[in-house]
Amino acid sequence: MRRKIVAGNWKMNKTPAEAKVLAAEIANALGAAPCPVEVVVCPPYIDLPAVTETLAGTQIGVGAQNMHNEPKGAFTGEIAASMLQEIGVKYVILGHSERRTYFADTDATVNAKTKAALAAGFTPIVCVGETLEERESGKTETVVTTQIRGSLADLGADIAKVVVAYEPVWAIGTGKTATPAQAQEVHALIRKTLAEMAGEETAQSIRIQYGGSMKPENAAELMAQPDIDGGLIGGAALKADSFLAIVKAGC
Ligand code: 13P
């Protein structure tokens, strides 16, 4: 039985003071209504100390939105795993489509970062997904399986520790959600690919989140699909009430 995982990707939103307020609101609301879903928030780097401090002692985990694969050195503007470790970060989103599109992340760099994240003891949340053009030209299967095979190559038994997020690019921030059937079809394809890479038993244990305009109104139906094990939430994660409503939809 896979434990559902709902993570909020705050993207480039919230100052440290605002982040502290939102984290406290989420913790207060969740504290009153415990549920078996694993809950994670991923604020911008600069907010991480305030948020890990605010959420210390709660059941809510904290993640970064990216990291570098090298342990330290001349990489201006980058952040290493040890820096995140020291402030209590336990998760890291890797290969988000915005990183792939605007910051040149590739399957190879995502793979290197995933290995470094696993070595640091983090749970990597590795994102894949096709663009609208790729979907309309019938390339979804090729694009997604190539991303999975490349981003998760050579992880050995550690592949079981990864969370995969399927985020169709055309559904991110557009209000256009994949239908539960569309999402389930790709989630099943991802699980089949994971089985080919790591065996059926391991594939059955790996959580696959859906992301892309997930909101309180559609979360329950999406998470009821057999291969959808939670959500990676953008816009709706920026307000405690909508984020909590999505968490509860998975309870
Ligand atoms: P939205 O929920 O705003 O569509 O964003 C999804 C996403 O990119 C989460 O990583």
Side-chain angles (χ1 to χ4, degrees):
M1 198 47 199
R2 296 181 295 269
R3 186 180 179 204
K4 286 198 171 52
I5 173 165
V6 172
N9 175 8
W10 296 3
K11 306 192 180 184
M12 197 174 72
N13 294 289
K14 306 291 176 187
T15 67
E18 291 166 349
K20 212 174 158 73
V21 170
L22 178 56
E25 284 172 358
I26 293 170
N28 290 338
L30 191 67
C35 92
V37 173
E38 191 169 326
V39 182
V40 181
V41 294
C42 302
Y45 286 136
I46 192 77
D47 300 347
L48 286 168
V51 171
T52 50
E53 211 176 283
T54 305
L55 297 179
T58 72
Q59 55 178 312
I60 304 169
V62 180
Q65 298 173 14
N66 179 41
M67 58 171 254
H68 200 277
N69 56 290
E70 291 294 336
K72 63 178 172 182
F75 300 101
T76 302
E78 290 293 315
I79 296 286
S82 59
M83 301 165 190
L84 300 171
Q85 259 175 336
E86 192 173 299
I87 54 166
V89 166
K90 300 274 194 277
Y91 301 79
V92 60
I93 299 172
L94 296 172
H96 190 280
S97 67
E98 288 147 20
R99 301 277 334 160
R100 292 178 187 260
T101 304
Y102 307 132
F103 303 100
D105 271 2
T106 63
D107 290 333
T109 62
V110 174
N111 184 235
K113 291 174 184 199
T114 303
K115 287 175 179 161
L118 287 165
F122 298 154
T123 298
I125 299 176
V126 177
C127 306
V128 298
E130 82 287 0
T131 62
L132 184 60
E133 193 193 348
E134 288 163 345
R135 173 163 283 263
E136 287 179 342
S137 54
K139 294 193 190 128
T140 300
E141 179 165 347
T142 311
V143 168
V144 171
T145 55
T146 301
Q147 288 175 334
I148 289 286
R149 287 186 181 280
S151 301
L152 304 181
D154 309 320
L155 302 184
D158 273 357
I159 196 169
K161 298 176 185 162
V162 170
V163 173
V164 174
Y166 168 57
E167 299 207 306
V169 178
W170 48 272
I172 296 176
T174 57
K176 268 192 225 166
T177 320
T179 64
Q182 276 175 324
Q184 167 57 28
E185 188 183 7
V186 182
H187 280 238
L189 168 72
I190 291 171
R191 202 173 304 287
K192 179 166 156 269
T193 308
L194 293 170
E196 287 162 9
M197 294 169 73
E200 185 63 30
E201 198 179 329
T202 301
Q204 285 300 331
S205 74
I206 296 174
R207 279 95 55 88
I208 309 174
Q209 297 174 310
Y210 170 79
S213 299
M214 198 188 249
K215 41 190 179 249
E217 300 78 56
N218 59 26
E221 205 187 346
L222 283 160
M223 286 193 271
Q225 299 301 309
D227 288 295
I228 301 184
D229 309 310
L232 184 56
I233 323 300
L238 295 173
K239 292 219 166 74
D241 56 354
S242 48
F243 184 62
L244 260 300
I246 294 171
V247 170
K248 282 181 199 152
C251 288

